[in-house]
Amino acid sequence: HILSGSGSHVARVAAAGGWLCRQAGLAVRSSAIVLSLLIWGYVFFSGLVVPAIRSALMGSFVLIGNILERPPDSIAGLTLLASLFLAVTPSLAVDMSFLLSFGSTAGLLLLAPRVAERLSAWPSFLAQPLAVALGSQLAVTPLILAFSHQLPLSSLAANLFFTPMAELAMTVALAGLLLPVVGQGLLVTASLLLGGVERGLAWLSCHPFAALPVRQ
């Protein structure tokens, strides 16, 4: 999950492309075309996995909305995408990757803001990551219980500590591709960060309390 070609990775590619478009002084329509090419190029590069396709389609809706000067409706867009996926491939209704991808996104959109409200007294640098992690985790917990009959106690820690490291590695790697002078050093740094993520996740998975078995 943390190392997959997911929405956060697509967002990083879009953010880097948006920065380049602003530096080049491109108009909204031209920027939308460039960003679409970058986003879908990454999706094909990542192997056309469901989470990346979902994120790219939602990103495309946002870009179309920008061109038409209409604010995007994330919930409606997610519902439409899920319906289109199921209409084309009904078997996705029991596909773990599909359900977790759309379920966690729904949790981010619907549950994370409400958790953030409950944590409003906390410092923002703690409340926001915790709200995001809890929102996505709560939304998919019933699915995980149904598929694996385990309650993943380590997932929250993994999302809080190692997801930011993986996203930082993605950002550093993108910077390494865009900055040829120091690119090699940045790519080495990204590799070291990913190595830390891999070792940390391996340690978590071997912990006695990593998952709690749940009877049917």
Side-chain angles (χ1 to χ4, degrees):
H1 158 67
I2 290 177
L3 298 177
S4 70
S6 59
S8 62
H9 295 179
V10 174
R12 297 283 172 171
V13 172
W19 179 82
L20 289 174
C21 290
R22 288 192 298 271
Q23 296 302 310
L26 296 181
V28 173
R29 188 180 299 273
S30 300
S31 297
I33 295 174
V34 172
L35 288 176
S36 296
L37 292 174
L38 287 174
I39 289 173
W40 285 102
Y42 174 78
V43 170
F44 280 95
F45 178 77
S46 64
L48 291 172
V49 293
V50 170
I53 295 175
R54 182 257 305 159
S55 299
L57 287 172
M58 290 194 71
S60 298
F61 287 160
V62 172
L63 293 174
I64 293 172
N66 289 340
I67 293 175
L68 300 177
E69 298 183 351
R70 295 183 61 183
D73 187 333
S74 300
I75 301 298
L78 185 66
T79 304
L80 175 61
L81 285 180
S83 302
L84 290 175
F85 271 90
L86 291 172
V88 174
T89 311
S91 61
L92 288 176
V94 293
D95 181 83
M96 186 69 162
S97 176
F98 173 84
L99 294 175
L100 289 179
S101 175
F102 279 87
S104 62
T105 303
L108 291 175
L109 295 175
L110 297 173
L111 298 181
R114 288 163 176 75
V115 175
E117 291 177 2
R118 297 296 183 92
L119 302 176
S120 58
W122 290 36
S124 59
F125 71 91
L126 292 175
Q128 289 300 324
L130 185 57
V132 168
L134 282 174
S136 60
Q137 185 69 33
L138 290 172
V140 299
T141 293
L143 295 172
I144 295 174
L145 291 174
F147 276 91
S148 66
H149 307 295
Q150 290 183 331
L151 182 63
L153 301 179
S154 61
S155 295
L156 184 60
N159 283 323
L160 282 174
F161 296 105
F162 296 112
T163 296
M165 285 183 62
E167 292 180 352
L168 177 60
M170 176 73 175
T171 303
V172 173
L174 283 173
L177 296 175
L178 297 174
L179 302 172
V181 177
V182 293
Q184 185 172 1
L186 291 174
L187 291 175
V188 170
T189 302
S191 178
L192 293 174
L193 286 170
L194 288 176
V197 171
E198 183 180 10
R199 288 176 176 81
L201 292 176
W203 176 81
L204 271 181
S205 66
C206 294
H207 197 278
F209 298 103
L212 178 65
V214 178
R215 294 182 179 180
Q216 299 184 21

